[in-house]
Amino acid sequence: MAGEALAAASAGEDAVAVDLVTGYLSGSPEGNEEIRELVLLLFAECSSMVSALGSGGATPVKMQVFDEEGNEVQIDDADPPVRTAIRALLAEVHGDQDAASEQIEIALANGQPQELATVVLQALRWTLKLAIECDTRDLPVAPWITASLDDQP
């Protein structure tokens, strides 16, 4: 499922990517658990890639958030689902899987469907961008991510 969603996001089909995750898996308690696991998988992979990029790299990894016009926005001023995604990713990067999981639980329990879709889309986009950067620098990328991106026309 993660690979298919990543491939769709890579092809610019954001709605399809989000639907693959939220539409297919939502609607039951098991579905929410699977969404949580999928998003945490993406953030764990992002964390691994951030670590690879930061290890001895000439360019440090920097978290930035941009608005629709391309202007940088302070993280505290970002929309709530984007802040949730950032907090989950930062928790993963710092090795706190419990805090990352808690952030995703909050999004699942309290968020509206559009907010959950935003968290999923952020996770997919960051995974794509980090994978491309790691590939450019000949750093390791999880095989399932590489396979998802290689399947693109």
Side-chain angles (χ1 to χ4, degrees):
M1 177 63 58
E4 289 178 35
L6 201 54
S10 177
E13 299 174 357
D14 292 347
V16 172
V18 170
D19 283 349
L20 279 168
V21 175
T22 59
Y24 177 74
L25 298 175
S26 64
S28 69
E30 297 83 21
N32 279 349
E33 178 65 22
E34 290 175 358
I35 291 170
R36 185 179 69 78
E37 291 302 317
L38 186 141
V39 172
L40 288 173
L41 168 69
L42 293 171
F43 284 139
E45 294 295 351
C46 285
S47 176
S48 294
M49 291 185 283
V50 165
S51 294
L53 287 165
S55 292
T59 306
V61 178
K62 180 179 178 183
M63 290 283 300
Q64 293 175 289
V65 179
F66 298 93
D67 62 17
E68 291 81 24
E69 290 83 38
N71 299 314
E72 187 173 1
V73 175
Q74 295 297 315
I75 291 173
D76 290 338
D77 296 331
D79 290 335
V82 174
R83 283 195 313 263
T84 297
I86 292 168
R87 287 180 183 132
L89 178 56
L90 289 174
E92 262 310 323
V93 167
H94 291 288
D96 192 347
Q97 290 84 18
D98 290 339
S101 182
E102 183 178 302
Q103 288 298 315
I104 303 307
E105 282 297 325
I106 290 168
L108 286 168
N110 300 323
Q112 298 298 317
Q114 185 58 39
E115 292 175 348
L116 179 58
T118 300
V119 172
V120 169
L121 194 55
Q122 282 299 145
L124 290 167
R125 286 179 177 164
W126 289 336
T127 302
L128 285 170
K129 287 180 181 187
L130 288 165
I132 291 166
E133 188 61 29
C134 282
D135 188 55
T136 300
R137 296 186 193 186
D138 291 324
L139 296 170
V141 176
W144 71 268
I145 294 173
T146 302
S148 297
L149 301 179
D150 287 346
D151 290 342
Q152 293 305 296

